[in-house]
Amino acid sequence: NTLDAHTQLTVNADALQKSLNALLENAINGIKGTQGRGEIRIKLHNAGEQVAISVEDNGKGMTQNKVSRIRNNGFSLNRLNAKSFALPDVKRWCEDCGGGFTIESAPKQGTTVFLFLPGQSMHYDYVLVDDDTMVHLLWRKLAQAHGKSTLQIRNLIELQENLSNIATDVPFYISIQLHSQAKGVSIA
């Protein structure tokens, strides 16, 4: 599943940053010694009522014993300083904010860590399709003044990417001309 464009994630920014830094730090340490073939992938996924953030590497991996110790909050990998989060800290933070944490790893197979955080589906009162930044700013201010929410789309590619996620009863406001891409009348 890809992340629904209408999912909102509200968490402590500092803790999220420390958590992602810890996951990246561990992934970077995991790919050391891969002779330049190391890869790290960060993905966002829908997970029911939660947003899942995964950090995956194809590095050296960990034994099940190490994975178990991390899951049980008793083991920290490569902690650089007291200000950084270790994996048990990340797990605890996820659980404290109503989410969860899982880790999958095997020696020489790499590691994937999932953060599950509470998400909230967004509802939009209308959709604006226009490539003019000033028009977007004006509509955003009008929407806020009237307590409405708007999904603002700048081009046909964004429209195609978001179309399946927009409720059928939401009205669209489409610019008559989207640069040279197409005329709004032909899109409608």
Side-chain angles (χ1 to χ4, degrees):
N1 265 356
T2 58
L3 185 64
D4 182 345
H6 305 282
T7 302
Q8 177 178 315
L9 177 63
T10 305
V11 294
N12 178 292
D14 185 50
L16 178 61
Q17 179 184 1
K18 287 179 181 178
S19 295
L20 291 175
N21 284 345
L23 298 184
L24 288 172
E25 180 183 311
N26 282 291
I28 290 167
N29 286 326
I31 63 171
K32 285 183 179 172
T34 59
Q35 288 99 18
R37 292 187 298 264
E39 293 181 5
I40 297 172
R41 288 181 221 52
I42 302 170
K43 297 179 185 176
L44 298 174
H45 316 267
N46 277 337
E49 293 295 314
Q50 296 183 321
V51 173
I53 302 171
S54 66
V55 177
E56 175 184 2
D57 70 67
N58 65 345
K60 57 189 169 197
M62 294 182 275
T63 65
Q64 288 307 303
N65 185 35
K66 281 186 182 178
V67 170
S68 293
R69 290 181 4 205
I70 291 168
R71 285 184 184 139
N72 295 324
N73 295 332
F75 187 68
S76 170
L77 293 174
N78 304 315
R79 192 168 189 171
L80 295 179
N81 60 53
K83 292 182 180 179
S84 69
F85 268 25
L87 292 180
D89 299 318
V90 175
K91 177 182 184 287
R92 196 169 16 264
W93 172 71
C94 288
E95 291 169 350
D96 288 349
C97 72
F101 170 99
T102 62
I103 184 167
E104 299 170 359
S105 189
K108 299 181 184 178
Q109 300 297 313
T111 302
T112 304
V113 179
F114 291 92
L115 306 182
F116 296 96
L117 303 169
Q120 176 182 359
S121 292
M122 293 294 295
H123 168 75
Y124 295 102
D125 295 303
Y126 61 88
V127 176
L128 171 66
V129 182
D130 197 306
D131 56 6
D132 187 331
T133 302
M134 292 306 293
V135 172
H136 282 259
L137 291 172
L138 176 66
W139 279 72
R140 184 175 298 124
K141 284 186 178 217
L142 286 169
Q144 288 172 344
H146 294 283
K148 301 290 182 181
S149 62
T150 176
L151 174 61
Q152 297 184 342
I153 296 175
R154 298 193 182 284
N155 56 50
L156 294 176
I157 294 169
E158 284 182 31
L159 178 61
Q160 289 173 326
E161 290 172 350
N162 286 284
L163 203 52
S164 64
N165 298 320
I166 302 169
T168 56
D169 63 340
V170 175
F172 280 68
Y173 296 92
I174 303 172
S175 172
I176 205 70
Q177 179 81 28
L178 294 172
H179 284 291
S180 61
Q181 291 180 355
K183 294 196 181 299
V185 185
S186 63
I187 297 170

